[in-house]
Amino acid sequence: MQELGQLADLPESYRADLAAQNLVPLWPSLRSVLPPGTPVRRTRPICWPYAALRPLLMRAGELTPIEKAERRVLVLANPGHGLEKMQASSSIYLGMQLLLPGEWAPSHRHTPNAVRMIVEGEGAYTTVDGEKCLMSRGDLILTPTGLWHEHGHDGDQPVVWLDVLDLPLVYYLEASYVTEGKAQAVTRDAGERAYQRGGVVPSPVFVRADKSYPMLRYPWSEVRAALLTLAADQPGIEAVQVAYVNPETGGDCLNILGFSALMLRPGETLTLPARSPAMVMHQIEGDSEIRVEDQRFLLAPADTCCAPGYVPVTLANRSATLPAFVFLADETPLHKKLGIYEVRP
């Protein structure tokens, strides 16, 4: 590949004339924005152990009342992007959120899409667009773009969940904002009850035409059972994995990020191919070993790690007798919509 000219090769007076007109020569920077073969990746492999994070999150509960925080969150920031950017990857934001007994996080809506993966505790709920979604460990709750949502806690123990948002991308597009609202009235039952039987959905005659997100809560009990059934019914399947989808369309449950759950059978090692999207892995049950490039992470329940795109990821179940369950979030829907999704051998 030919060597390109540098900015220093140009006369200083010419560079000054360009700057005066808000112009920049492309060729000195061309290889930085279009590198040969593989993109420049700021996302680093990194792990956030819950055992180290949890005491700091509980301390935040002591130091900052919910009225002063609105959302009491510790952001899981990737140092490759700079901690101040609050990014786990180029498109993924992660935050560990705490709600204490009796607290209420006020209603608002925002342009970024969000999901909540419940980490610990009982008795809390999220009300989304009038639907009260109870929180139990391993449940996935959607708060799609533009829908009102608030969090409340009627229990007696702290509740913690992992927030996953496409905030970095929406912020980059200069489209990120929030609107404050009033407390919601619960207007309908949990939507997942209508979709608990595979292949059977409510008749279109009775489905609200304006309901883009018919299912907002995906109970872990159902997802776990689906993984165990899949493993039993198809013992030769390469990967025991299920996707969180819109039950009416079969498409991704949200527009930009994709979500799935993976079961590692006892003693199983699985290598995922190098794909273009970055990926987040969160341990729901069991113990796993994650290998990304030259990094090795030992995940216990509630630990979270991140892998950049364009590199293979190896997951291994550290138990020879029990399955391990991992929640995955990645940028696949975005990459496919942009036509840049890629799998490398």
Side-chain angles (χ1 to χ4, degrees):
M1 187 170 290
Q2 70 183 79
E3 185 176 344
L4 301 177
Q6 303 298 308
L7 191 62
D9 298 337
L10 300 173
E12 186 175 347
S13 60
Y14 179 67
R15 284 181 275 158
D17 289 343
L18 290 174
Q21 299 301 320
N22 299 304
L23 299 172
V24 178
L26 172 61
W27 58 94
S29 303
L30 183 60
R31 293 290 177 256
S32 64
V33 295
L34 288 173
T38 301
V40 173
R41 292 164 297 141
R42 295 182 178 84
T43 302
R44 297 181 192 172
I46 186 171
C47 181
W48 297 272
Y50 190 61
L53 185 158
R54 189 183 188 278
L56 297 172
L57 187 59
M58 296 302 155
R59 182 66 173 147
E62 298 170 3
L63 295 172
T64 306
I66 194 68
E67 295 79 13
K68 295 287 186 180
E70 186 174 331
R71 299 301 196 260
R72 192 189 293 108
V73 179
L74 294 183
V75 179
L76 283 56
N78 193 306
H81 292 275
L83 299 184
E84 74 285 354
K85 296 291 184 64
M86 299 193 299
Q87 295 176 230
S89 77
S90 60
S91 302
I92 300 176
Y93 160 101
L94 298 176
M96 202 65 78
Q97 185 163 171
L98 169 67
L99 198 66
L100 295 174
E103 290 186 334
W104 179 69
S107 181
H108 68 198
R109 61 183 182 184
H110 44 65
T111 45
N113 294 277
V115 303
R116 326 290 174 187
M117 166 54 58
I118 314 307
V119 174
E120 69 164 276
E122 297 284 341
Y125 61 88
T126 293
T127 302
V128 186
D129 194 30
E131 180 177 321
K132 187 174 183 178
C133 302
L134 301 180
M135 293 180 166
S136 293
R137 183 180 62 87
D139 290 354
L140 185 73
I141 298 174
L142 310 185
T143 53
T145 178
L147 294 192
W148 294 106
H149 56 279
E150 63 194 71
H151 313 302
H153 193 346
D154 298 329
D156 57 8
Q157 297 294 324
V159 170
V160 178
W161 63 85
L162 178 69
D163 291 322
V164 187
L165 284 77
D166 50 28
L167 175 61
L169 176 66
V170 178
Y171 179 79
Y172 175 78
L173 295 173
E174 299 183 357
S176 179
Y177 70 93
V178 66
T179 304
E180 304 298 334
K182 299 179 180 179
Q184 297 180 69
V186 177
T187 57
R188 62 178 187 275
D189 293 331
E192 75 267 12
R193 295 176 187 171
Y195 298 94
Q196 287 183 340
R197 298 293 178 267
V200 179
V201 299
S203 167
V205 173
F206 301 105
V207 173
R208 286 172 42 190
D210 62 340
K211 202 168 192 301
S212 300
Y213 303 97
M215 188 166 169
L216 296 172
R217 176 176 176 260
Y218 296 75
W220 173 238
S221 59
E222 298 289 333
V223 177
R224 190 181 193 278
L227 288 165
L228 291 170
T229 300
L230 179 61
D233 288 351
Q234 301 186 42
I237 195 171
E238 186 173 7
V240 183
Q241 186 173 9
V242 295
Y244 295 90
V245 301
N246 182 320
E248 290 290 338
T249 67
D252 299 300
C253 63
L254 290 180
N255 296 323
I256 294 175
L257 301 180
F259 308 97
S260 63
L262 175 71
M263 183 183 110
L264 295 169
R265 291 162 281 208
E268 180 179 20
T269 296
L270 177 67
T271 297
L272 305 179
R275 304 180 308 137
S276 55
M279 179 170 61
V280 167
M281 290 151 281
H282 175 79
Q283 193 79 27
I284 300 177
E285 291 183 34
D287 299 281
S288 299
E289 176 184 310
I290 309 294
R291 295 193 294 274
V292 187
E293 296 182 311
D294 60 348
Q295 299 291 312
R296 175 175 173 264
F297 306 123
L298 300 180
L299 267 61
D303 290 353
T304 305
C305 70
C306 181
Y310 294 92
V311 296
V313 177
T314 298
L315 305 93
N317 186 348
R318 296 162 59 195
S319 172
T321 58
L322 298 173
F325 298 92
V326 183
F327 169 68
L328 306 177
D330 66 23
E331 303 160 338
T332 295
L334 172 64
H335 281 223
K336 289 184 174 180
K337 286 180 173 69
L338 294 175
I340 60 173
Y341 181 77
E342 185 179 350
V343 179
R344 295 192 173 184

